[in-house]
Amino acid sequence: MPEPTPKYAPLVTASGLTVDMPLGRDGNSVRIVDNIDFSIGVGERVALVGESGSGKSLTARALMRLDRLARLSGRIDFDGQDLLKLSEREMTRYRGSAIAMVFQDPMSFLDPLMTIGDQVAETLRIRGVGKAEARKRALAVLDELGVDRAAERLDAYPHEFSGGMRQRVVLAMALVGEPRLLIADEPTTALDVRVQDQVLDLLDDVSARRGLAVLFITHDLGVVAGFAERVMVMYSGRIVEDGEVEQVFAHPKHPYTRGLIKAVPRIDQDLHKLYAIPGAPPPPLARPSGCPFHPRCSESFDRCVSELPAVLNVGGERVACHLHDPLRV
Ligand code: SF4
């Protein structure tokens, strides 16, 4: 079973987690997330990175069972409870109060016709909290997140807020239920760099103050370096490398991670010489045999074409690559 960074007690542990999505009505499905194991500790900040289509968002959504059509298998243990065994009604209690999520585009998430105060309070109202108490707690969390003149602005509408302030409101909606794990799915992608830094600082503060674990989904390795303690790299529905950020960035062990790091533009770099990993990720219906990365990997050898690499423990990290198998042939 995967362990979080040793200094953290485990909060959520996924074992053999698999996500299949149905194709049409004939019972066929496509595997998007393929038998992955990972663990996140209490208060730990973990980044999940990979190109579009790698399965990052569906992995995160599976933790909250958000996709009604998805067929989930394996286990997701949260505080000792397997979330995949809960009824939909029991799961509703977990969403928001145990695990909450913030998304990329706050404007598409906010209801333009509802006041900010009502939207933040709604998470609590759904759980039976009285109107006055829900409003009081909504104000407290907006204050905590640095929304200016929060008391006056409880009755304002989303269009009266700037992009950065709207992201704070969305964060308040996620945090008002006092979750223990926050899933942040590319929450800063639509923001300019200055506001992005402010939101990251805010998440950093809140996580430290509340002992809140954060699973941060991004394709931006700069954000990973600034925010997370541990990084999990996903490719074609599998986690191919999982280790402490400093160690992974200094000594990436999987060729795909090396490619991602090499592709980060440097400020002194000639724009004509930017590196890109050759090729594109395979569609889930046309995954290559063996290691799914082999058609793009400059280090592949015969075994890579025929055999899926197992996840190996390599110097305290988990790596799925035949290069690290001591019995490599
Ligand atoms: Fe490359 Fe082979 Fe390692 Fe896959 S298993 S990343 S193809 S060396």
Side-chain angles (χ1 to χ4, degrees), residues 254-256 291-295 297-301 303-305 307 309 320-324:
H254 195 283
Y256 178 58
C291 171
F293 189 56
H294 85 253
C297 182
S298 60
E299 299 174 64
S300 73
F301 53 105
R303 187 176 170 191
C304 306
V305 179
E307 194 183 320
C321 173
H322 293 311
L323 289 173
H324 297 281

Side-chain angles (χ1 to χ4, degrees), residues 1-5 12-17 34-40 46-48 59 230-234 238-244 247-248 251-254 257 309-321 324:
M1 184 157 294
E3 292 294 332
T5 311
V12 57
T13 302
S15 317
L17 178 64
D34 187 13
N35 193 21
I36 62 172
D37 298 332
F38 65 90
S39 193
I40 300 168
V46 180
L48 184 58
T59 298
R230 186 155 62 85
V231 57
M232 303 191 292
V233 181
M234 258 190 116
R238 300 185 80 217
I239 292 174
V240 297
E241 182 156 5
D242 175 358
E244 294 216 22
Q247 201 182 339
V248 171
H251 305 288
K253 295 183 173 60
H254 195 283
T257 316
V311 180
L312 305 168
N313 189 325
V314 185
E317 280 184 33
R318 298 188 309 134
V319 186
C321 173
H324 297 281

Side-chain angles (χ1 to χ4, degrees), residues 116-131:
I116 293 301
D118 284 350
Q119 293 192 59
V120 177
E122 196 183 23
T123 313
L124 300 172
R125 298 280 291 138
I126 291 167
R127 285 172 186 77
V129 177
K131 197 170 175 187

